[in-house]
Amino acid sequence: MIDQPRTPEQRKADVLARLAAPVADCWVATDGAYLVPLTLAWHDDRILLVTSPTSRTARNLAAHGRARLGLGPTRDVVLIDAVLDETIPVTTSGAVGEAYAGQSDWDPRSAGDSNVFLALRPQRIQAWREENEIPGRTLMRNGTWLV
């Protein structure tokens, strides 16, 4: 049985709740088919990821500035197209480091300077559960919420 479709406002609230959830995991695609799982944090309307500055993900973002993130199971999808807003060394991360550590199950600042925060700014967000939610699935376009 398929539930009634959520309102756009409810979908937005569900997306924001998922982004702010403790230990929120996602799949991150950069440069076409390159895909990795990472834990994210949501801070100041940006998605924070952590990785080595020499990782393929960090290098692809530095070169192309774009990523696609997927959250949730196949029957409760959130797809986010985002742009790299800033790369922040973990040793000088300030409020960003505090926000990530507060939402995650680890503090990358405790690992020394071997990682960076990648702050991504969402440009398009889509969310749907079933076929009946595909119409109106786009909740953000060009970095602006539509609801």
Side-chain angles (χ1 to χ4, degrees), residues 81-94:
D81 293 318
V83 295
L84 180 64
D85 195 39
E86 184 178 13
T87 299
I88 306 161
V90 294
T91 55
T92 60
S93 59

Side-chain angles (χ1 to χ4, degrees), residues 103-139:
Q103 186 175 339
S104 183
D105 58 353
W106 71 291
D107 186 345
R109 298 171 300 173
S110 65
D113 62 357
S114 61
N115 290 303
V116 293
F117 289 102
L118 303 170
L120 304 176
R121 181 124 357 239
Q123 296 300 296
R124 183 174 74 158
I125 298 178
Q126 297 180 310
W128 70 93
R129 287 186 178 157
E130 298 284 348
E131 183 275 331
N132 65 354
E133 286 193 355
I134 289 182
R137 68 187 173 267
T138 301
L139 304 175

Side-chain angles (χ1 to χ4, degrees), residues 63-99:
H64 305 290
R66 293 179 310 276
R68 176 170 265 196
L69 290 76
L71 292 81
T74 56
R75 300 254 172 144
D76 194 1
V77 175
V78 176
L79 288 180
I80 301 172
D81 293 318
V83 295
L84 180 64
D85 195 39
E86 184 178 13
T87 299
I88 306 161
V90 294
T91 55
T92 60
S93 59
V96 165
E98 288 297 319

